[in-house]
């Protein structure tokens, strides 16, 4: 691990610590491109009343806006904690090149940020999940997919 990588992680960790004093959760993240910090983010779930306002999602949104693209290839993310399933999904969708993290998901579980139930739910068949999940009007919904499939000038992502 290079000193620069350690410094970037220390920045994410510092954000996570400072965020506790700013009414947020103990999570911070930064996105780096070509050795430069592009954006920072912290957990604002309770502050913003937004369950998706995790540090990683917030920093991805900021970096995409700053860079003017949804494709963050060429960037790396440093997160103070191993990302939850939602954030990990966002990291893959953003096409980040590399993920560095500090605390593990077990460390998060130990302070009552436990995502293991989501991992378990994802492995279950839809009909066995805790949230009742019912597919309806697929024959109507598929119209949008067909239109997209046949659109000649679509921007694929």
């Amino acid at each position: 691990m290079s000193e620069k990588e350690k410094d970037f992680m220390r920045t994410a960790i510092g954000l996570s610590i400072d965020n506790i004093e700013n009414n947020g959760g103990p999570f911070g993240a930064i996105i780096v491109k070509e050795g430069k910090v592009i954006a920072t983010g912290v957990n604002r779930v309770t502050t913003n009343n937004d369950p998706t306002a995790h540090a990683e999602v917030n920093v991805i949104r900021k970096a995409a806006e700053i860079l003017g693209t949804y494709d963050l290839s060429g960037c790396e993310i440093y997160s103070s904690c191993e990302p939850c399933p939602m954030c990990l999904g966002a990291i893959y969708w953003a096409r980040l090149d590399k993920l560095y993290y500090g605390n593990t998901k077990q460390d998060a579980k130990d302070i009552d940020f436990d995502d293991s139930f989501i991992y378990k739910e994802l492995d279950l068949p839809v009909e066995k999940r805790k949230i009742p999940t019912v597919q309806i009007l697929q024959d109507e919904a598929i119209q949008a997919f067909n239109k997209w499939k046949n659109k000649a000038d679509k921007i694929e992502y």
Side-chain angles (χ1 to χ4, degrees):
M1 190 69 43
S2 76
E3 283 306 311
K4 193 149 190 141
E5 291 165 330
K6 289 178 184 177
D7 287 344
F8 289 140
M9 181 54 72
R10 287 184 182 110
T11 299
I13 292 167
L15 289 166
S16 72
I17 293 168
D18 292 345
N19 198 47
I20 296 167
E21 299 304 318
N22 291 311
N23 299 317
F27 304 97
I30 67 169
I31 289 184
V32 173
K33 183 173 186 173
E34 298 171 355
K36 180 182 171 200
V37 176
I38 301 299
T40 65
V42 293
N43 180 289
R44 303 308 288 166
V45 170
T46 57
T47 309
N48 296 355
N49 293 316
D50 179 354
T52 69
H54 290 201
E56 297 89 346
V57 170
N58 286 338
V59 76
I60 287 169
R61 289 175 179 158
K62 283 184 190 174
E65 183 177 348
I66 289 166
L67 296 174
T69 181
Y70 58 85
D71 184 345
L72 299 180
S73 297
C75 297
E76 300 173 336
I77 187 168
Y78 291 77
S79 177
S80 65
C81 185
E82 186 175 3
C84 75
M86 175 184 69
C87 293
L88 187 59
I91 288 166
Y92 276 97
W93 279 114
R95 297 182 178 95
L96 290 155
D97 287 359
K98 196 168 191 177
L99 161 65
Y100 298 87
Y101 67 90
N103 293 315
T104 66
K105 59 186 175 185
Q106 182 61 51
D107 295 329
K109 182 177 181 177
D110 291 345
I111 61 164
D112 298 324
F113 288 95
D114 185 6
D115 298 324
S116 60
F117 74 99
I118 298 172
Y119 289 105
K120 290 175 187 171
E121 284 287 302
L122 291 172
D123 283 339
L124 292 174
V126 175
E127 63 275 3
K128 293 193 177 192
R129 293 183 182 163
K130 288 183 182 168
I131 296 176
T133 305
V134 181
Q135 181 183 20
I136 61 171
L137 299 178
Q138 191 269 341
D139 56 326
E140 293 178 32
I142 199 70
Q143 293 174 35
F145 283 10
N146 290 335
K147 186 172 183 173
W148 175 259
K149 181 179 177 181
N150 296 318
K151 183 174 172 53
D153 61 343
K154 64 186 166 209
I155 299 172
E156 295 196 31
Y157 60 96

